[in-house]
Amino acid sequence: MKRKNLRSMLAGMLLLPTLFMACKRTPGGEFQPAPDKNKSGLQNFTPSAYDLNVVYFVPSDGDTIAHYRERLNGILLQGQRFYSKWMNYYGYGNRSFGLRLDSAGKVKISVVKGALPKTSYLYDGGGYIVIDELNTWFAAHPADKHSEHTLVIMPASTYAFDGDPGGVPFYGVGRWCFALDYAEMDTSYLGQNTTLGNRATKWIGGLMHELGHGLNLRHNKEKVSEAADPAKGTALMGSGNYTYGKSPTFLTAASAAILNNSQVFRTSTATGIYEEGNTTINIIKASYTGGNIVLKVKFSSTQTVNNVNVYNDPEGGSNYDAVPWVAAPSGDSIQLSMPISEFHKKTGNYTLRILFLYTNGSSTEISYPYTFVNNEPVLDISKDELNKSSWSIAYVSSQEDDGPAINLLDNDQETIWHTQWKSVQPAHPHTVIVNMGAIQSIQGLAFQQRFNLNGSLKDISVFTSTDNITYTPRGNYTLANVNGKQYISFGATVSARYIKIVTASNYADSHYAVLSELGAW
Ligand code: ZN
């Protein structure tokens, strides 16, 4: 169970459709901070070694909105205190994201005029156009780039009949995040039960939520006990954008563990920030005892892991409702006890997402499926598999030259079986038959999707045979879209030498089949 950096954290979006869900994490490099420094307004914090870039991006036919410097200064300093409060709370010290100040002692905001009119920077797709222009702008203005994290604020380009602003990008994309500005966006309205008060929560809270994405955060939800705790309430990276400034809103321990490694929370410079790492899970054990999911993981990693976030993510609802725990590793192991009384939902399918956090700010996610049955979790997360060293491929209907079916048997998640896609693109069903070399007693099969989950295999039928002539159907299954090992059970012990898999679909709704490992238990 492996490997590599999951670069597609579904951080992303807040209010609207899911086209941009790709908060793609692009690899970063080393960053040399600019020599100038002015932290005089932030003496309450341990000074950061890197600062957030704050850009006010104005379309060619637009303008800044009155008093934006004062209003955004107040919003960002308040947000900085909010983040610091929770870093302190979880024991990470008096730290927050760094902000550069200008000569007037206010948060430095770079105003950049766009090349295009408002109609070119729409919510859908506009973010990428802005990022392209700002990458060019930063290359020409290196002294204005203080880190790899950038908050882009754009004046609203449309207003609803009731005055509600909108129209511009509003989401996180990797270490970029987008928020909007409108004339009454001011902290002074926060907490007022008025149209402008509620609007301030929505858009200032929204800015803080999107900024969270831009600082590396992913969605998560408060535990049941946290929701009931008047000091905590709603997780900012859940639906806290609707409660910020109005009712208790907080950062989860899992969010703080991520921020602890974020570049702009660093108090000293470092090299190798955001270089990718690989983690392999060598042993995983999960059980349900005494009302708790008890998880034990032994891993090896190419980077230094200082925390491991474990998210329990119910099917549906994207990842907004994933309830997280944090485990500090002891050597190369973690152990966690997660009371299901803290879960909001005790039915249906879940994904267990194990996120290894590296001190350099990068991370790797390895995920496993589990299911609630009769309000209790069933955790078939590990099985003793048969040794595959003498196995072979008896038949394959399609394989690409760099994705031969034999890769299913090499215990290496990095190598995959991939049906043809280059010169020809045959459609499902695809068939592969594995010869176990001798008749074996098996209860089910083991599968592992390719690590990056690109086009994961979904619906399959399974058959077994002792002679490769007469096949017995063993059922239709839907594989989970997770990159850890997963198992299917025949519900009985079966004698078989040949295993036949017939594919019906993949998660990309595309013609091909791809799979990393196939085994039996
Ligand atoms: Zn979000």
Side-chain angles (χ1 to χ4, degrees), residues 372-392:
F372 271 84
V373 176
N374 298 327
N375 298 316
E376 292 193 355
V378 177
L379 297 137
D380 274 334
I381 280 176
S382 58
K383 301 278 190 193
D384 290 330
E385 286 185 50
L386 299 184
N387 186 310
K388 303 196 281 189
S389 58
S390 59
W391 293 17
S392 59

Side-chain angles (χ1 to χ4, degrees), residues 181-334:
D181 187 30
Y182 61 97
E184 300 87 7
M185 192 168 86
D186 194 292
T187 56
S188 64
Y189 292 106
L190 282 174
Q192 294 181 13
N193 190 19
T194 60
T195 299
L196 289 180
N198 293 326
R199 190 169 291 162
T201 283
K202 177 179 173 183
W203 296 107
I204 297 175
L207 183 153
M208 287 303 147
H209 175 111
E210 299 311 335
L211 176 58
H213 287 313
L215 299 172
N216 301 338
L217 295 184
R218 52 170 59 196
H219 292 137
N220 63 188
K221 187 177 175 76
E222 59 281 354
K223 293 170 184 156
V224 167
S225 65
E226 290 170 331
D229 180 350
K232 289 187 172 171
T234 306
L236 179 68
M237 299 312 293
S239 49
N241 49 303
Y242 297 111
T243 59
Y244 184 87
K246 188 194 293 187
S247 61
T249 306
F250 76 112
L251 289 172
T252 63
S255 288
I258 293 171
L259 296 174
N260 180 41
N261 299 330
S262 173
Q263 184 188 27
V264 288
F265 282 69
R266 283 172 191 275
T267 53
S268 58
T269 57
T271 57
I273 291 175
Y274 297 136
E275 277 175 13
E276 291 192 28
N278 295 337
T279 291
T280 301
I281 288 183
N282 301 311
I283 301 172
I284 181 165
K285 291 193 170 131
S287 61
Y288 178 62
T289 42
N292 302 301
I293 293 176
V294 177
L295 179 70
K296 296 176 185 176
V297 177
K298 205 164 159 32
F299 62 90
S300 47
S301 181
T302 60
Q303 296 281 354
T304 305
V305 175
N306 60 355
N307 274 303
V308 180
N309 287 355
V310 178
Y311 299 82
N312 296 272
D313 189 1
E315 190 170 55
S318 186
N319 49 2
Y320 289 92
D321 52 0
V323 180
W325 272 260
V326 182
S330 168
D332 57 359
S333 303
I334 60 157

Side-chain angles (χ1 to χ4, degrees), residues 11 15 25 41 69 142 155 158 210 235 242 259 286 292 331 338 381 496 511 520:
L15 302 166
R25 315 250 137 195
R69 282 193 188 275
T158 63
E210 299 311 335
Y242 297 111
L259 296 174
N292 302 301
M338 301 180 283
I381 280 176
H511 65 88

